[in-house]
Amino acid sequence: MLKGLQIKNIFFILIGAAIYSFGFVHFNIQNELGEGGFAGITLILFFLFQWDPALMNLLLNIPLFFIGWKLLGRKVFLYTIIGTVAVSVFLKLFLIYEIQIDLHEDLFLATLFAGVSVGIGLGIIFRYGGTTGGVDIIARLVQKYSGWSMGKTMFLFDAVVIVLSRLTFLDNRTMMYTLVAVFVGARVIDFVQEGAYSGRGALIISSYQEEIASRIAIDMDRGITILRGYGHFTKEEREVLYCVVAKNEIVRLKNIINSVDPHAFVSLIEVHDVMGEGFTLDEQKQPIG
């Protein structure tokens, strides 16, 4: 049944599930904060009827398992089963062996920890091919067919559940803190998924592109790609240089360009993740580190 699945992915999905569950129990439940998605629904059921969140997490996700199987394929479906069951197991463990973290007097700190822990946990799960069921499946489908990030989709869906939470167990103060936690969680999810690498991609247009390319290659040991461009105003074809550098190399890159052509047009774009020679592979195409 588990044929084709990677042990590394399963391991990190379990790690993500543990981080998510720890934050959910020790920051959301302990401080009576809400949450979005199906997790928010389990909180509503818990605070209203004392129904077990671990059990409710499984029961609410059963119908969506079939959607995951039909639309996402066997591998993602199996990772989803692993992620969802792992979350329920860790929720149960943390509820049984709960650690009291008293943050009632500082709800803002509890809110930040709730958003960051849930965001890191889900981000790891998503990055390694899994989901925890519920809105995670819906968000993955939206990303697959529309290109929207999973964090944004979940934030919109979460807003509906938070309104329902306000009508049941949240007051105005905790509802606003919950919105902050959900927003922080969505941003952290995107950050973890896209990668912690922070670099810049440079698009350079100059009449001295050969000199600039040579200086970057020699002085910075960075590769350069030459793109073909066409100026709308001048109606001329131009070569555009593209290279990726680490964040701490930006000033050096600017100095090189300025020394060759002070009038060069340079556009810097944020790069979240880079794979390949010079970043994740060495000159022999072997993994770095």
Side-chain angles (χ1 to χ4, degrees), residues 50-108:
Q50 294 299 302
W51 290 357
D52 185 356
L55 178 61
M56 289 300 102
N57 179 63
L58 283 178
L59 295 179
L60 290 173
N61 277 296
I62 289 176
L64 286 176
F65 285 160
F66 295 100
I67 298 176
W69 172 259
K70 293 292 184 181
L71 297 179
L72 297 178
R74 172 184 172 275
K75 184 177 290 187
V76 175
F77 172 75
L78 292 177
Y79 282 138
T80 297
I81 292 289
I82 294 170
T84 305
V85 172
V87 165
S88 286
V89 170
F90 282 117
L91 282 175
K92 193 66 177 178
L93 287 175
F94 288 131
L95 284 169
I96 294 174
Y97 303 102
E98 188 174 353
I99 303 170
Q100 290 301 320
I101 304 176
D102 188 6
L103 292 176
H104 282 87
E105 300 302 319
D106 194 345
L107 267 184
F108 183 70

Side-chain angles (χ1 to χ4, degrees), residues 4-210:
L5 302 187
Q6 296 185 26
I7 300 299
K8 174 184 175 182
N9 288 24
I10 295 175
F11 173 77
F12 278 104
I13 287 173
L14 294 178
I15 294 295
I19 295 173
Y20 169 84
S21 301
F22 181 89
F24 189 78
V25 170
H26 294 93
F27 301 120
N28 290 84
I29 292 181
Q30 280 192 11
N31 296 282
E32 297 184 5
L33 292 171
E35 183 55 82
F38 278 32
I41 296 175
T42 64
L43 284 175
I44 293 173
L45 297 175
F46 174 75
F47 285 114
L48 287 183
F49 309 111
Q50 294 299 302
W51 290 357
D52 185 356
L55 178 61
M56 289 300 102
N57 179 63
L58 283 178
L59 295 179
L60 290 173
N61 277 296
I62 289 176
L64 286 176
F65 285 160
F66 295 100
I67 298 176
W69 172 259
K70 293 292 184 181
L71 297 179
L72 297 178
R74 172 184 172 275
K75 184 177 290 187
V76 175
F77 172 75
L78 292 177
Y79 282 138
T80 297
I81 292 289
I82 294 170
T84 305
V85 172
V87 165
S88 286
V89 170
F90 282 117
L91 282 175
K92 193 66 177 178
L93 287 175
F94 288 131
L95 284 169
I96 294 174
Y97 303 102
E98 188 174 353
I99 303 170
Q100 290 301 320
I101 304 176
D102 188 6
L103 292 176
H104 282 87
E105 300 302 319
D106 194 345
L107 267 184
F108 183 70
L109 188 60
T111 297
L112 291 180
F113 274 103
V116 170
S117 58
V118 169
I120 290 175
L122 290 181
I124 292 173
I125 292 172
F126 294 157
R127 181 158 186 159
Y128 287 91
T131 77
T132 57
V135 184
D136 304 353
I137 294 179
I138 298 172
R140 183 175 285 272
L141 291 174
V142 172
Q143 183 187 52
K144 180 177 181 180
Y145 292 111
S146 73
W148 262 44
S149 74
M150 296 178 72
K152 290 179 181 178
T153 303
M154 293 176 68
F155 182 75
L156 292 176
F157 194 97
D158 291 345
V160 176
V161 177
I162 291 172
V163 170
L164 293 176
S165 300
R166 173 62 186 87
L167 298 174
T168 51
F169 74 94
L170 292 179
D171 56 26
N172 288 331
R173 180 168 176 260
T174 52
M175 183 190 73
M176 288 187 286
Y177 276 119
T178 296
L179 286 172
V180 173
V182 171
F183 177 77
V184 170
R187 295 302 300 269
V188 173
I189 287 171
D190 287 342
F191 176 79
V192 174
Q193 275 195 283
E194 293 167 356
Y197 178 84
S198 180
R200 295 293 185 272
L203 292 168
I204 308 163
I205 301 174
S206 170
S207 299
Y208 302 91
Q209 68 272 4
E210 196 61 45

